[in-house]
Amino acid sequence: MSKFYTKITSRLQKFIEAQKIFFVATAPNDGRINLSPKGMDSFRVMNENRVLWLNVTGSGNETAAHLLENDRITIMFCAFDGAPNILRLYGKGKEIKEGDASWNDLITLFPETPGTRQIFDITLDSAQTSCGMSIPFYDYKGERNELNDWATEQGKEGIKKYWEDKNQTSIDGLPSQILK
């Protein structure tokens, strides 16, 4: 059934790279837990204990706000086709924004994506697999383009205005520091 790892093995990396969707969970010390589905070509395994996730502009900025308060983050992948499997990556994350020292090197690892907001650099404490035998099969039909179309239409200045209006605090009122 469930098995813990101290690192991402080559088998786990292949599983990660084959998934089209993953889920990100963070929580403040006091307040709502945030759990969000993520897609696009936005996840990279850097080595056996480090992953990167490119985050794009969305309705909230919970992850950034939560990681400022405590750095805990969990990423979950699950198989919707093939052999059943659930993989959770437990770690500590930090936000990297445009203008930060490592931004220019890291952003080149991802395709150019309209609305790019930040990269989360995650150091893993452990990984856990579990059976996933109750997860149904789903067919992948393709990526949605609505978010990229919206971000392209907004342009860089429109995105920054959106951040100013909608992304400066979490739903619990914690600062995200998106504009610093």
Side-chain angles (χ1 to χ4, degrees):
M1 296 300 260
S2 119
K3 182 175 179 182
F4 274 93
Y5 299 83
T6 58
K7 63 183 181 180
I8 295 174
T9 64
S10 61
R11 184 180 63 80
L12 296 178
Q13 183 170 347
K14 286 177 190 166
F15 175 72
I16 289 168
E17 291 170 351
Q19 304 315 302
K20 303 293 186 193
I21 187 172
F22 59 98
F23 301 84
V24 176
T26 57
N29 294 331
D30 184 37
R32 293 174 182 92
I33 297 167
N34 186 60
L35 174 61
S36 295
K38 303 297 176 185
M40 304 163 129
D41 184 10
S42 63
F43 199 85
R44 297 289 181 273
V45 176
M46 299 302 292
N47 63 43
E48 59 191 22
N49 290 104
R50 181 180 176 217
V51 297
L52 300 174
W53 158 44
L54 176 72
N55 191 25
V56 297
T57 299
S59 56
N61 198 9
E62 302 304 298
T63 303
H66 293 172
L67 292 181
L68 284 171
E69 190 172 280
N70 70 66
D71 55 4
R72 297 172 304 149
I73 187 168
T74 300
I75 310 284
M76 186 186 82
F77 298 87
C78 58
F80 292 110
D81 61 7
N85 190 27
I86 297 171
L87 171 64
R88 291 174 185 89
L89 305 176
Y90 301 100
K92 304 208 178 308
K94 67 177 181 178
E95 174 189 41
I96 298 168
K97 295 185 276 199
E98 188 172 2
D100 289 347
S102 57
W103 176 264
N104 288 338
D105 290 334
L106 297 180
I107 195 64
T108 63
L109 301 173
F110 299 95
E112 189 172 324
T113 306
T116 292
R117 186 167 53 189
Q118 66 251 112
I119 296 170
F120 290 102
D121 191 340
I122 302 158
T123 302
L124 302 179
D125 300 326
S126 61
Q128 177 203 22
T129 57
S130 56
C131 69
M133 288 187 256
S134 68
I135 304 303
F137 290 103
Y138 281 97
D139 291 326
Y140 175 73
K141 292 184 179 182
E143 297 290 329
R144 296 178 193 253
N145 292 316
E146 289 89 348
L147 185 59
N148 286 341
D149 293 345
W150 173 84
T152 299
E153 185 177 303
Q154 299 303 306
K156 245 183 178 307
E157 289 307 311
I159 293 292
K160 285 188 180 175
K161 176 71 171 128
Y162 186 87
W163 292 351
E164 185 179 307
D165 294 343
K166 307 262 187 197
N167 284 177
Q168 289 197 72
T169 60
S170 73
I171 57 177
D172 292 316
L174 298 171
S176 72
Q177 296 184 4
I178 187 64
L179 298 175
K180 290 187 179 185

